[in-house]
Amino acid sequence: MAHHFSDRVQFKSRLTFILAATGSAVGLGNIWKFPYMTGENGGGAFVFVYLVCVIMMGIPIMMAETMLGKRGQKNPISTMATLANQARANPAWKYLGWMGVLAGVIILSYYSVIAGKTIHYIGRILTGLLWDLDLAGAEAAIDGLNGSIFLLTLWHTLFIGLTMYIVMQGVNEGIEKAVEFLMPGLFLVLMVLVLYAAMSDGFQQGIDFMFTVDFGSLSADSVLMALGQAFFTLSLGMGAIMIYGSYLPPGVSIAKTSAIVALCDTLVAILAGIAIFPIVFANGLEPAAGPDLIFKTLPLAFSGMFAGTLFGLMFFVLLVFAALSSSISLIEPAISYVVEKWGLTRKTACIGAGIITWTLGMGTVFSTNIWIDKKFFGTTFFGFLDYLSANIMLPVGGILIAVFAGWIMRQSDTAESLQISEDGYLYRSWKFLVCYVAPIAVSLVLLGGLF
Ligand code: TRP
């Protein structure tokens, strides 16, 4: 496990790194969030902007973030402190790490509640939810769950517990094993769903909705949503990829791994959209149905297909695992900070972090029942946490990561860590994207969306 310049644990190989980073990237963001955001923001134009953001900002920032982690060899806060020191830059750069830790806690708090709902669906499918299900039945199921503080809390508690249990085992034992068989499985069941969707009445309408680009329907806020979604789905801007970069074995091409991870992640999101929108239209549902969209459509799809109970069960089980391999990366930066800096044991750190995120998550539990009409900055508590973290904190974190890698670090250091030659085409494109394109575009979108 140890290697020549640090005795920090490491991933076994390049493949494990790719699996772990893909495991972090692919999750509820692809299957739950991407479809409902696309639905709420008018379809094709949103998808287009999202794809542009992934390519022009997502991949270069992922390379930058991985590289910072690899050079820093520590948790995001200490990594930023060390690298700022090495570059003789302002020590305040460490607050970038702090913002990431905070964003991770906020995201995990609501992520866990949604993941909890997917756990609940496993139970519902086992007890016959999918037999002769109609739209009214599917809506009643999710409305019932949203109204039940007891059930939401139960599954939220279980999910936080599972996340902390895995993180407690450490990188090699917990994280690697959790991701090795998951992604291919999820991908396969997703293909079954896509095939089913392709045979449904709504297929053409669903495809048109997702891929017909009409910028007239796109507001400045939708552009910010697309940008936020690009960061969210790639796990960028808060140190998750940085911490995985710190476990990267030497000699791995960061450009290649980043491109692979982004490609897999995008593929899963697009396939999820292709699977879901035909069902939406075939059943006369509203694309803008919001966060409950997949809980209304997927059970209907499974209920209508051959061996639906089996596939439905597999799908929700795999989705819970995909959510777990993402949630562990949301909390790993915080855990490794308190372990490395405050000397707590991993166990104590996990218990503490579990209590904090669980408590914050209760606000999201209440968002669909007793607090449903309570407004936090004009939206529900869940909506507020989501907007603050995904649409503000992650893009701000992303800009700062890009600026640090592009402007603060020595060029020779970044080229060395990325293992690409300084005067090659690849390096120069990356440098241009992190120095100019990402900071300027992200700032404009942020300002445009916020004001
Ligand atoms: N990317 C994950 C998803 O799409 C969620 C996630 C995991 C995340 N780690 C992150 C989001 C770090 C932002 C930052 O489900």
Side-chain angles (χ1 to χ4, degrees), residues 24-25 27-30 107 111 232-233 235-236 238 240 326 329-330 394:
S24 165
L28 298 172
N30 307 60
I107 296 174
Y111 204 84
F232 186 93
T233 193
S235 303
L236 291 181
M238 55 71 68
S326 300
S329 77
L330 282 163
L394 299 182

Side-chain angles (χ1 to χ4, degrees), residues 306-329:
F306 169 73
T309 293
L310 177 69
F311 286 126
L313 203 57
M314 280 168 68
F315 185 84
F316 279 98
V317 169
L318 287 165
L319 189 53
V320 171
F321 279 103
L324 272 173
S325 64
S326 300
S327 65
I328 53 186
S329 77

Side-chain angles (χ1 to χ4, degrees), residues 426-444:
L426 184 61
Y427 183 82
R428 288 214 304 263
S429 323
W430 173 78
K431 183 93 181 178
F432 178 72
L433 289 168
V434 288
C435 282
Y436 301 101
V437 177
I440 295 173
V442 177
S443 309
L444 285 179

Side-chain angles (χ1 to χ4, degrees), residues 46-81:
F46 175 87
V47 174
F48 181 82
V49 175
Y50 156 81
L51 289 174
V52 170
C53 289
V54 167
I55 295 167
M56 304 283 286
M57 292 167 243
I59 295 176
I61 292 179
M62 185 179 283
M63 288 170 64
E65 196 175 326
T66 313
M67 178 197 71
L68 295 187
K70 182 180 165 185
R71 281 200 88 77
Q73 285 291 303
K74 287 203 183 67
N75 64 79
I77 300 170
S78 311
T79 285
M80 290 315 299

Side-chain angles (χ1 to χ4, degrees), residues 376-421:
F376 296 83
F377 297 89
T379 167
T380 58
F381 187 74
F382 155 70
F384 166 66
L385 287 190
D386 181 37
Y387 196 90
L388 174 69
S389 55
N391 297 348
I392 300 176
M393 295 171 91
L394 299 182
V396 169
I399 299 179
L400 294 174
I401 287 168
V403 167
F404 192 85
W407 295 95
I408 308 284
M409 286 177 74
R410 236 178 287 137
Q411 170 147 327
S412 53
D413 287 351
T414 59
E416 180 204 73
S417 290
L418 291 172
Q419 303 188 326
I420 39 186
S421 126

